[in-house]
Amino acid sequence: MKHSSLCLLVAACLSGTALAATPGSPANKMTESDARRLLGQASFGPTDESVAELMSLGREAWLASQFARSDSDFSGVPYVNPNAAEGCPAGSRPTCRRDNYTLFPVQVQFFANAINQPDQLRQRTALALSEILVVSGNVIKLPNAMANYQRIFLRHSFGNFRDVLREVTLSPAMGRYLNMANNDKPNPAKGIQPNENYAREVLQLFTIGLWQLNPDGSQKLDGQGQPIPSYDQDTVEGFAHAFTGWTYAPRPGATRNRFGNPSYYDAPMIAFEDHHDTGSKKLLNGVVLPGGQSARADLEAALDNIFNHPNVGPFIGRQLIQQLVTANPSPAYVERVTQAFNAKPRGDMKAVLRAILTDTEALNPAQPSRFGKLREPIVQLTHLLRALGGSSDGVWLRAQAAALGQPVYSPATVFNFFPPDYDLPDNPSLDGPAFGVFNASAAFKLSGVLATALNGKGVAADPSVPGAIGTHIDLSRWQALAATPPALVAQINRLLFAGRASAALQAALLKASQIAPASKPLERAKAALFLAAMSPEYLVEN
């Protein structure tokens, strides 16, 4: 698809032709600009309160306080009969199917939590992990199933990646999505062979990638200068056999418990030994699992084999950097994060996050022309609401994220909404992952979304959602500032750009704020805010 001029301007901004980063301050002396920048990376957007807290605590103490928080969860998504005809019989409330058989309640709560809850780093990390270890609502449509899957990342965002890997592997949602549930041992007489779907994706997408990596994320090369594969088909088959014998836990009230249990998403999968392949299995790096082991022993050994592969640190670390800080981290940055992953205890997520968010490159990029990332639509929306002091119940934000190409927890494929190596438009030497969804159509739709968000009236509450408050940005403070356009522009620069907007953009904002007559201060404020929120310098976080 041909990109709009706005998309190209954003691409230019990310490649450094329109905006350069400014140096950061020392690790624990936070200016307001530094604080807003860090909160853009480590949260769903700065608020006046979170900025004040960060500036008071300093970077390290703020991280420690975030590591101690666990406020967010999903409520009101209990187990329901998977048969919608029984769960929502004739005479049920009109929203029964929406609330029990679609992801609506989970998606709404995601946005409500992102806007309102204080455990911002936990939530932001959980979203990043969910976009690496993907389960999609295109298949997993029950809200309790998706809520339980996403809780894995909320629980272990600050835990150990090995625990993430185990829980994802035994998650019934993943079991359904990538066919590990009811994966049976070979039976040639019946034409049964173990399903390779999860075995392949856990290697290719969730942990090590296709090619052997150096600690800095670059590909290892053979004597002919060619990249070296991380695994082969025999390895995929070995993991597929190691993962046989698992099925869903029995549903409440079930009278039978057997291999091939029907889907149930409120408990991890369970093993049936007579359906597990007890032969030997070839794994990574020449490791061969001995025959005769239990389903649990084989699974744990297989996961240990993956977790200890040297690719995991750079493969996962680089993607987390891309999600939180910059789309094109230097090899040195990746290697420092890999060292944090590999340190004892290996896979400590706190150490990894601390390394990402306090790295010298995150604070003071060595190559400003390569630094930054396009905000994905979810973060475009949350950052704007939080930075401008807005409020939301999540209902409208859910719909707008979907309209912009990012329906929460429902990517089209296991490859996420966008791959981490998606090329920056017009500059294939740089990665621009979020450009995988931000095209000409999304840019046009974004202008409509922003026009509604900044209309001064807000979006009314949906009466079908209990406790709904709608979505609102109070423009009264901006209307008052519009009487003095330079003051209006200064405040926009402070809150939306962390005080780092270019002189050219500030001049454009000043001009926009003066198009309407002085007798219409609200129109002046709306014009300046709209231009700011649509500008490449805002859409690209750097």
Side-chain angles (χ1 to χ4, degrees):
M1 176 180 288
K2 183 177 179 181
H3 285 71
S4 70
S5 58
L6 174 63
C7 290
L8 295 178
L9 283 170
V10 172
C13 189
L14 184 52
S15 62
T17 61
L19 179 67
T22 55
S25 295
N28 282 302
K29 293 183 179 180
M30 302 293 292
T31 66
E32 181 177 356
S33 178
D34 288 339
R36 289 188 179 276
R37 186 181 188 188
L38 176 58
L39 289 168
Q41 298 167 348
S43 77
F44 284 104
T47 64
D48 288 342
E49 293 77 11
S50 65
V51 170
E53 179 188 32
L54 176 52
M55 292 180 68
S56 173
L57 292 175
R59 186 176 286 107
E60 292 290 347
W62 182 83
L63 287 173
S65 71
Q66 285 289 301
F67 290 151
R69 302 201 72 104
S70 57
D71 303 85
S72 298
D73 197 3
F74 301 98
S75 61
V77 284
Y79 169 81
V80 295
N81 189 316
N83 185 341
E86 295 183 20
C88 292
S92 298
R93 66 186 187 280
T95 59
C96 181
R97 287 183 180 250
R98 181 198 71 184
D99 295 341
N100 293 287
Y101 295 96
T102 76
L103 294 192
F104 178 86
V106 178
Q107 293 169 325
V108 166
Q109 286 188 64
F110 164 83
F111 276 108
N113 288 342
I115 295 296
N116 302 310
Q117 291 290 352
D119 58 336
Q120 287 286 302
L121 180 57
R122 180 182 296 275
Q123 292 185 68
R124 190 70 186 81
T125 305
L127 176 65
L129 289 170
S130 79
E131 293 187 7
I132 299 172
L133 298 97
V134 171
V135 155
S136 175
N138 291 346
V139 174
I140 307 301
K141 300 179 182 297
L142 294 176
N144 75 303
M146 185 59 74
N148 285 330
Y149 185 71
Q150 298 304 327
R151 285 178 176 125
I152 294 172
F153 306 125
L154 288 171
R155 279 196 302 272
H156 297 298
S157 285
F158 305 148
N160 193 284
F161 188 75
R162 175 63 170 78
D163 296 324
V164 172
L165 191 56
R166 177 191 293 108
E167 289 211 32
V168 163
T169 301
L170 293 180
S171 163
M174 181 60 79
R176 168 73 177 85
Y177 187 56
L178 291 182
N179 310 115
M180 184 174 151
N182 303 323
N183 182 25
D184 208 347
K185 67 182 181 181
N187 188 331
K190 295 183 178 180
I192 296 174
Q193 287 295 325
N195 190 292
E196 298 175 7
N197 204 4
Y198 181 70
R200 189 179 310 279
E201 305 306 354
V202 74
L203 298 175
Q204 178 182 346
L205 299 178
F206 299 169
T207 56
I208 67 171
L210 293 171
W211 310 105
Q212 291 185 31
L213 302 176
N214 294 305
D216 66 2
S218 61
Q219 293 177 354
K220 290 185 177 180
L221 304 177
D222 62 19
Q224 287 71 48
Q226 297 300 309
I228 305 169
S230 297
Y231 56 89
D232 57 19
Q233 177 58 25
D234 289 343
T235 308
V236 173
E237 292 177 6
F239 279 99
H241 286 246
F243 293 147
T244 53
W246 296 85
T247 187
Y248 302 103
R251 292 178 181 173
T255 57
R256 298 180 62 190
N257 181 22
R258 64 191 187 284
F259 187 79
N261 279 336
S263 60
Y264 177 58
Y265 299 102
D266 281 8
M269 293 190 294
I270 60 174
F272 279 76
E273 297 300 336
D274 55 344
H275 290 269
H276 174 63
D277 179 12
T278 57
S280 61
K281 296 102 177 170
K282 176 185 174 183
L283 303 183
L284 296 166
N285 294 333
V287 172
V288 177
L289 286 184
Q293 296 196 140
S294 68
R296 171 70 69 174
D298 270 358
L299 181 138
E300 295 292 349
L303 295 184
D304 280 340
N305 179 250
I306 297 172
F307 175 67
N308 287 298
H309 190 282
N311 270 26
V312 181
F315 186 77
I316 296 299
R318 187 177 193 276
Q319 290 190 69
L320 288 174
I321 296 171
Q322 288 183 301
Q323 288 274 349
L324 300 177
V325 178
T326 182
N328 295 278
S330 70
Y333 189 1
V334 175
E335 185 163 7
R336 290 189 290 270
V337 173
T338 298
Q339 291 170 351
F341 185 95
N342 292 343
K344 294 182 180 180
R346 178 179 175 84
D348 180 3
M349 290 295 297
K350 289 181 183 177
V352 170
L353 291 169
R354 187 178 287 108
I356 291 171
L357 295 170
T358 65
D359 190 86
T360 182
E361 187 166 332
L363 307 178
N364 186 15
Q367 295 181 292
S369 64
R370 296 177 59 87
F371 189 82
K373 65 181 179 67
L374 176 68
R375 289 189 175 102
E376 58 193 282
I378 288 172
V379 182
Q380 290 172 8
L381 295 170
T382 60
H383 189 282
L384 185 72
L385 261 289
R386 286 176 60 83
L388 297 184
S391 61
S392 181
D393 53 23
V395 176
W396 183 74
L397 294 176
R398 166 196 171 272
Q400 304 320 302
L404 295 173
Q406 201 174 17
V408 181
Y409 303 144
S410 295
T413 72
V414 72
F415 292 89
N416 186 28
F417 298 103
F418 39 77
D421 58 354
Y422 191 90
D423 289 341
L424 186 68
D426 283 8
N427 191 346
S429 68
L430 294 177
D431 292 333
F435 280 98
V437 291
F438 191 80
N439 51 30
S441 175
F444 177 77
K445 291 175 181 176
L446 178 61
S447 67
V449 171
L450 294 178
T452 300
L454 299 170
N455 65 13
K457 301 175 183 178
V459 179
D462 184 336
S464 71
V465 178
I469 62 171
T471 297
H472 303 273
I473 297 176
D474 184 0
L475 296 186
S476 59
R477 65 188 289 194
W478 303 99
Q479 183 175 353
L481 283 167
T484 310
L488 172 65
V489 172
Q491 189 75 337
I492 291 174
N493 182 23
R494 184 174 75 87
L495 296 187
L496 291 187
F497 299 93
R500 297 161 57 245
S502 67
L505 177 58
Q506 292 184 64
L509 295 176
L510 184 61
K511 184 176 181 179
S513 70
Q514 295 173 312
I515 293 175
S519 59
K520 295 183 177 181
L522 179 59
E523 295 306 311
R524 285 186 160 193
K526 288 162 61 174
L529 287 167
F530 178 84
L531 179 60
M534 282 295 292
S535 70
E537 290 186 35
Y538 178 69
L539 295 175
V540 172
E541 176 184 7
N542 64 6

